Amino acid sequence: MIATALGIALFGWSYAVAATSVYGAGRAAWSRARRAPARVEASTRVLVVRPCAGLEPELDRTLMSLSGALTGATLACRFAVHGPSDPAAMPAARAAAALRAKGVDASLVFTAADAPNHKVAQIEAVLARERASSDVLVVADSDVDLTGFELDALVAPLLADATVGAVWAPPIEAGAASGSGDRASRALLAGSLHAFTLLGALDGGGLVGKLFAVTSDAVGAVGGFGGMTRVLGEDMELARRLRAAGRSVRVAPVVARSLQTGRSWKSAVERYARWLTVVRAQRPHLLASYPLLFFATPLVVLASLALLPFSPALALASLGLALASRLLVAATARAFAGERFSPRASLIDVVLADALLVAAFARALASRKFTWRGRTLTVDRRGALSEETA
């Protein structure tokens, strides 16, 4: 009797995960299928801000890539760097010169930004110095390759509907997998339910700040970026403030290609632990969804194997449903990331992505302290971000 009850509960859990997975995949596919052509006129002024810090692989390529973006808008670009001693200063200066040679209003801005959330402080510093007005602000991380990117797909929804405050592009990774953490991170972003191409369909209240666009009046409506310098997840906080101001957030039907590479397993764990620390601090009610949903498969498999001698029918049903839905997610996420179908690669994605999420979850629960770009930061119980000084 107890074994049967446990079997029913286990099957219910497996069924809920499978139903959510199918719903997420279906909704993401439907959003892409009904995508309308996006066209932005030259009268639309778009300011692109690229916060930079330190020397990254392919930095020259990514910073110069704006010239290859697909848009009809009139672009201006600002490369935000702390100061001349930052290793990113020279690549940013070269990129600005290359863009100016192609007719783009581009410049390097030394921000002298000094705040726990350095990225937000850089954006705020650029906006404070900008003399010309713009209709839309686009923020693109320094590792994002904009070559061939349909920028109009990011900007057009903002112009078509005044209630839309921001549009973000789900990130995937397309850099060379030269470190042990590169392959695992790529698996998570293109082979799991946490792939933002799928997560964006499940979580309408989220925003991932790798590459996003926001209207200038929406920035004003939320009080600018200055009030978010002590918040770790400025993207989640921006989405929250936009909703509070009556604006919606949408997911673009295009992906942002990151060229990050050279990461160890430990650095990959640290990266996603930071994301989970944001969830823990700013959306704590969602933390339980990670073991219950995002890395539920290994837990369901272990529970099914333990229950197999006592309730074989329910255990096998739970096991089969969990594995089938997990492989569906992996295959679908790979397709949305532009990867070819590969059963072998999908299986590897499943193992690596779930292992990475489990490790990152444990790390996020163990400590509120982490290191980001050489800065030691702590998130307190109220969600405030602070930096440790030497």
Side-chain angles (χ1 to χ4, degrees):
M1 186 69 177
I2 295 178
T4 301
L6 290 174
I8 292 173
L10 182 61
F11 181 79
W13 181 14
S14 184
Y15 179 83
V17 172
T20 303
S21 300
V22 171
Y23 171 76
R27 184 172 181 181
W30 173 250
S31 297
R32 289 183 168 224
R34 59 194 292 266
R35 169 187 174 187
R39 184 179 178 183
V40 176
E41 301 296 332
S43 58
T44 301
R45 296 157 300 177
V46 175
L47 174 64
V48 181
V49 177
R50 306 210 65 171
C52 307
L55 196 59
E56 300 175 321
E58 304 285 359
L59 187 60
D60 279 280
R61 172 183 170 185
T62 56
L63 295 187
M64 293 182 186
S65 64
L66 181 62
S67 62
L70 307 178
T71 182
T74 298
L75 299 179
C77 182
R78 305 290 178 257
F79 298 103
V81 180
H82 181 269
S85 63
D86 192 307
M90 287 305 297
R94 288 193 293 267
L99 289 175
R100 286 195 298 270
K102 296 186 177 183
V104 178
D105 172 14
S107 62
L108 168 61
V109 178
F110 290 131
T111 64
D114 185 19
N117 190 319
H118 194 242
K119 175 181 176 180
V120 167
Q122 286 186 307
I123 297 170
E124 182 68 10
V126 168
L127 296 181
R129 301 180 191 189
E130 195 66 22
R131 295 182 179 276
S133 62
S134 59
D135 301 302
V136 175
L137 168 68
V138 171
V139 177
D141 282 2
S142 56
D143 59 291
V144 174
D145 182 8
L146 295 172
T147 305
F149 179 77
E150 296 178 57
L151 194 60
D152 284 358
L154 204 65
V155 174
L158 297 170
L159 306 177
D161 186 346
T163 66
V164 180
V167 181
W168 60 277
I172 63 167
E173 294 186 351
S178 61
S180 58
D182 293 335
R183 180 66 181 87
S185 183
R186 183 177 295 186
L188 192 149
L189 292 179
S192 75
L193 196 57
H194 204 282
F196 292 112
T197 50
L198 298 180
L199 189 58
L202 292 173
D203 182 10
L207 188 158
V208 179
K210 179 68 67 175
L211 174 58
F212 70 94
V214 58
T215 58
S216 296
D217 68 311
V219 173
V222 300
F225 287 89
M228 293 182 274
T229 57
R230 291 180 58 82
V231 177
L232 174 59
E234 76 285 341
D235 43 10
M236 284 190 183
E237 178 63 12
L238 176 60
R240 186 193 69 78
R241 294 187 181 196
L242 286 171
R243 291 195 304 273
R247 310 294 180 96
S248 63
V249 177
R250 290 189 184 176
V251 186
V254 289
V255 295
R257 299 173 66 252
S258 166
L259 298 186
Q260 280 195 4
T261 187
R263 290 158 297 174
S264 65
W265 170 263
K266 181 180 178 181
S267 64
V269 170
E270 289 286 333
R271 176 191 179 189
Y272 291 103
R274 287 195 298 271
W275 173 269
L276 285 164
T277 300
V278 173
V279 175
R280 181 183 181 186
Q282 295 169 229
R283 304 178 78 186
H285 59 286
L286 294 180
L287 198 60
S289 66
Y290 282 82
L292 291 177
L293 180 61
F294 294 110
F295 58 84
T297 301
L299 303 180
V300 172
V301 168
L302 290 174
S304 298
L305 294 176
L307 192 64
L308 191 59
F310 309 101
S311 184
L314 288 169
L316 287 173
S318 301
L319 180 65
L321 189 58
L323 293 175
S325 62
R326 184 64 184 85
L327 289 172
L328 171 67
V329 164
T332 304
R334 280 183 64 84
F336 289 158
E339 302 280 355
R340 64 180 179 82
F341 176 71
S342 169
R344 179 177 178 275
S346 294
L347 283 171
I348 295 173
D349 285 349
V350 167
V351 175
L352 289 176
D354 288 2
L356 181 56
L357 263 185
V358 169
F361 185 78
R363 169 67 179 83
L365 292 184
S367 176
R368 293 176 177 269
K369 182 184 295 186
F370 58 91
T371 300
W372 185 77
R373 293 183 183 263
R375 303 158 69 92
T376 301
L377 304 170
T378 303
V379 181
D380 66 22
R381 295 184 181 278
R382 295 172 297 174
L385 184 66
S386 61
E387 181 178 1
E388 287 192 4
T389 56

